[in-house]
Amino acid sequence: MTSQNPAPAATAPEASALRLIRLALAVLFMAAVSLFAVLRFGDASLTLVVATAFGAYMAMNIGANDVANNVGPAVGARAITMFRAIVIAAIFEATGAIVAGGDVVTTIKGGIIDPTRIADPQTFVWLMMAALLAGALWLNLATMMGAPVSTTHSIVGGVLGAGIAAAGWDIANWGTMGQIAMSWVISPVFGGVIAALILYAIKRTITYQGDLMEAARRMVPVLLGFMAWAFSTYLLLKGLSQIIKVSFVVATVNGAVVGILVYLYTRQRVAQKSEWLSNDREGVNRLFTAPLMFAAALLSFAHGSNDVANAVGPLAAIYDSLMHASVGGAKAAVPPWILALGALGLAVGLALYGPRLIRTVGSEITEIDPMRAYTIAMAAAITVIVASQLGLPISTTHVALGAVFGVGFLREYLKANYERIIEEIKQHHADQDSGHDAVEAFLQAFEAAPMPEKSRMLKELKQQTRLGQGYISKQERKDLRKAHRKNLVKRSVLMRVIAAWIITVPASALMAAVIYYAIRGAMLP
């Protein structure tokens, strides 16, 4: 495992200087993009120059906010350093955007509005500019608050609000908006449940066994093969969908082939590496370190190939409308320079402002180790695969955060359940003459026993001893469990994230409407 010593906290002047440096670099990037647009289009289209700056700003905010979900768990698990995570994510986000971003992106996500209701191309351009700026401003605000939110929902809200401001309520596709509202619940619940099930399976097959390393030699290759299948399938269905179109069956079969090859390879590697690892949880965790680096890279690639559309899609629509003096359809061809702009913006935003959200996802919600980080990455991939086949609306951001919370809540449940068992053991020995010694001896044997043996010991104990007076009161037990829940999942972060999720669409919609009226007021004679 990569060792990480916490860096000394920066003093107030140093922190202020760093903020100014980051702000200066962000402004410099936007200025460079604007200069490029001026040199390319000159005075022919000042509107396009401004829109290009808005697109760059949006791409930076996507990199700052959304990419944390891909690398945050690995950083929180100390499998990779913050610097290495940023480098990996920046490279693969940009690569995914450029290589697999596609020649065509949907500029009006999921049919949020009906563009045929807007006859004037200039009005459509102002609408998309307002949507871009509003989505970017909301993401900027959410990042400052330390709240990971859906970039797709941000731009959807922007398009919705600006569209209503431009053409009235009838322009909106309320059926699609209903599906988006469903995703607020479906995404985190699916992600959380799948993550909890995977983590519990790992605990039952590895960490609850008597010989952890022997169990790891048997199960880790299976888990890594399963991971290879999931990510191969995920990339074929989502990350590479703009390059090659494959059916679910073809993607699954190809993923299975990759998974089997990875299993055969890692079985020997794990057996060799396990010889010099400690036979404890720490040793088992080290077997997941390298796979987490691949998971972060692949998730970043898939994210770049898909979510770059949230920045360059509206910009492509603006470009298409200005170049052809008409309102385009739901899709618009993306010139290479716009795709490169989105890719570079993702990388710049991540490098400058990504660490804050990476820390939030990786360490501020619940404690994460490599096994839990593996679980979160797997839950994100599997949820997207399952939901896409069932036709369920999901947000990958909400899925990833739901998986983190699912891991934390499972830990809370298991911890509280274990405390209850320990209390029952003490109660069973409360009336025995041996008292404290009997309790200690049984607890030592219970701690060392694998899960099946624990179940047998508890069953025998209940058969041999009648339940006596409680060792501690019910209220004390409630307080103990409540304290464990507070330590394992931070409720303040949970409430902050949920609140940000709920208000993302209406907040960005309201901002977009205000910005649209401001643009129209400034542009009309």
Side-chain angles (χ1 to χ4, degrees), residues 257-299:
V257 172
V258 174
I260 292 171
L261 294 176
V262 169
Y263 166 77
L264 295 175
Y265 172 75
T266 56
R267 184 173 59 176
Q268 182 180 5
R269 294 284 297 170
V270 167
Q272 293 173 346
K273 189 174 182 179
S274 64
E275 294 296 330
W276 53 272
L277 292 175
S278 57
N279 190 10
D280 55 17
R281 188 184 182 92
E282 180 71 15
V284 174
N285 268 321
R286 297 190 67 173
L287 295 173
F288 288 90
T289 301
L292 284 176
M293 296 178 64
F294 285 99
L298 294 175
L299 283 172

Side-chain angles (χ1 to χ4, degrees), residues 392-460:
L392 298 174
I394 63 165
S395 162
T396 53
T397 300
H398 294 187
V399 168
L401 266 295
V404 175
F405 284 114
V407 165
F409 287 130
L410 176 66
R411 294 179 61 225
E412 280 190 359
Y413 170 78
L414 295 176
K415 199 78 171 179
N417 190 55
Y418 191 77
E419 289 294 331
R420 179 185 59 79
I421 292 173
I422 296 301
E423 291 163 16
E424 287 185 1
I425 291 173
K426 292 177 179 179
Q427 290 170 351
H428 280 297
H429 289 84
D431 296 331
Q432 294 185 10
D433 295 335
S434 53
H436 179 75
D437 292 339
V439 173
E440 290 300 318
F442 191 93
L443 287 178
Q444 288 180 8
F446 185 78
E447 287 280 358
M451 181 56 69
E453 182 65 13
K454 281 184 171 69
S455 300
R456 186 192 62 79
M457 293 172 70
L458 287 175
K459 185 176 181 181
E460 290 182 356

Side-chain angles (χ1 to χ4, degrees), residues 189-330:
V189 169
F190 258 53
V193 169
I194 292 177
L197 290 174
I198 295 174
L199 181 58
Y200 186 68
I202 292 175
K203 286 180 174 293
R204 293 285 300 190
T205 56
I206 298 179
T207 59
Y208 287 168
Q209 299 300 310
D211 189 336
L212 268 67
M213 196 51 66
E214 177 60 31
R217 279 192 287 267
R218 183 175 61 254
M219 289 304 303
V220 169
V222 175
L223 293 171
L224 297 184
F226 185 45
M227 184 181 197
W229 166 80
F231 277 98
S232 299
T233 305
Y234 176 85
L235 283 177
L236 286 172
L237 290 176
K238 303 293 289 185
L240 298 174
S241 59
Q242 299 294 345
I243 296 178
I244 179 173
K245 294 287 186 181
V246 297
S247 66
F248 175 73
V249 174
V250 172
T252 302
V253 171
N254 280 276
V257 172
V258 174
I260 292 171
L261 294 176
V262 169
Y263 166 77
L264 295 175
Y265 172 75
T266 56
R267 184 173 59 176
Q268 182 180 5
R269 294 284 297 170
V270 167
Q272 293 173 346
K273 189 174 182 179
S274 64
E275 294 296 330
W276 53 272
L277 292 175
S278 57
N279 190 10
D280 55 17
R281 188 184 182 92
E282 180 71 15
V284 174
N285 268 321
R286 297 190 67 173
L287 295 173
F288 288 90
T289 301
L292 284 176
M293 296 178 64
F294 285 99
L298 294 175
L299 283 172
S300 297
F301 181 89
H303 179 270
S305 67
N306 283 280
D307 280 36
V308 70
N310 294 328
V312 304
L315 180 57
I318 293 169
Y319 174 82
D320 188 64
S321 294
L322 290 174
M323 292 299 102
H324 299 94
S326 63
V327 178

Side-chain angles (χ1 to χ4, degrees), residues 162-193:
I164 292 174
W169 294 91
D170 291 340
I171 195 174
N173 185 337
W174 296 110
T176 301
M177 295 308 302
Q179 290 184 336
I180 291 173
M182 287 174 56
S183 75
W184 293 339
V185 177
I186 293 173
S187 299
V189 169
F190 258 53
V193 169

Side-chain angles (χ1 to χ4, degrees), residues 79-212:
I80 53 178
T81 62
M82 177 72 76
F83 176 77
R84 186 175 296 178
I86 289 174
V87 171
I88 290 173
I91 291 173
F92 282 90
E93 284 278 341
T95 303
I98 293 173
V99 174
D103 295 327
V104 176
V105 295
T106 303
T107 58
I108 304 170
K109 299 291 286 186
I112 298 303
I113 62 172
D114 181 5
T116 61
R117 290 180 175 270
I118 302 175
D120 180 21
Q122 194 63 56
T123 299
F124 181 74
V125 168
W126 296 342
L127 184 160
M128 299 310 291
M129 288 178 66
L132 255 183
L133 183 56
L137 286 171
W138 171 247
L139 285 175
N140 199 159
L141 181 61
T143 302
M144 291 173 61
M145 295 188 300
V149 297
S150 170
T151 56
T152 301
H153 289 181
S154 299
I155 195 64
V156 161
V159 172
L160 176 69
I164 292 174
W169 294 91
D170 291 340
I171 195 174
N173 185 337
W174 296 110
T176 301
M177 295 308 302
Q179 290 184 336
I180 291 173
M182 287 174 56
S183 75
W184 293 339
V185 177
I186 293 173
S187 299
V189 169
F190 258 53
V193 169
I194 292 177
L197 290 174
I198 295 174
L199 181 58
Y200 186 68
I202 292 175
K203 286 180 174 293
R204 293 285 300 190
T205 56
I206 298 179
T207 59
Y208 287 168
Q209 299 300 310
D211 189 336
L212 268 67

Side-chain angles (χ1 to χ4, degrees), residues 67-80:
V67 180
N69 304 308
N70 304 325
V71 298
V75 173
R78 298 178 179 243
I80 53 178

Side-chain angles (χ1 to χ4, degrees), residues 329-409:
K331 295 178 184 252
V334 183
W337 70 269
I338 292 183
L339 210 53
L341 164 67
L344 188 58
L346 288 175
V348 171
L350 170 65
L352 294 180
Y353 295 101
R356 176 166 187 176
L357 269 296
I358 290 175
R359 280 190 287 269
T360 297
V361 174
S363 59
E364 293 182 6
I365 297 174
T366 191
E367 183 182 345
I368 296 177
D369 61 16
M371 277 187 281
R372 296 169 195 151
Y374 163 88
T375 296
I376 293 165
M378 283 293 297
I382 292 175
T383 302
V384 171
I385 292 171
V386 173
S388 64
Q389 296 313 302
L390 296 178
L392 298 174
I394 63 165
S395 162
T396 53
T397 300
H398 294 187
V399 168
L401 266 295
V404 175
F405 284 114
V407 165
F409 287 130

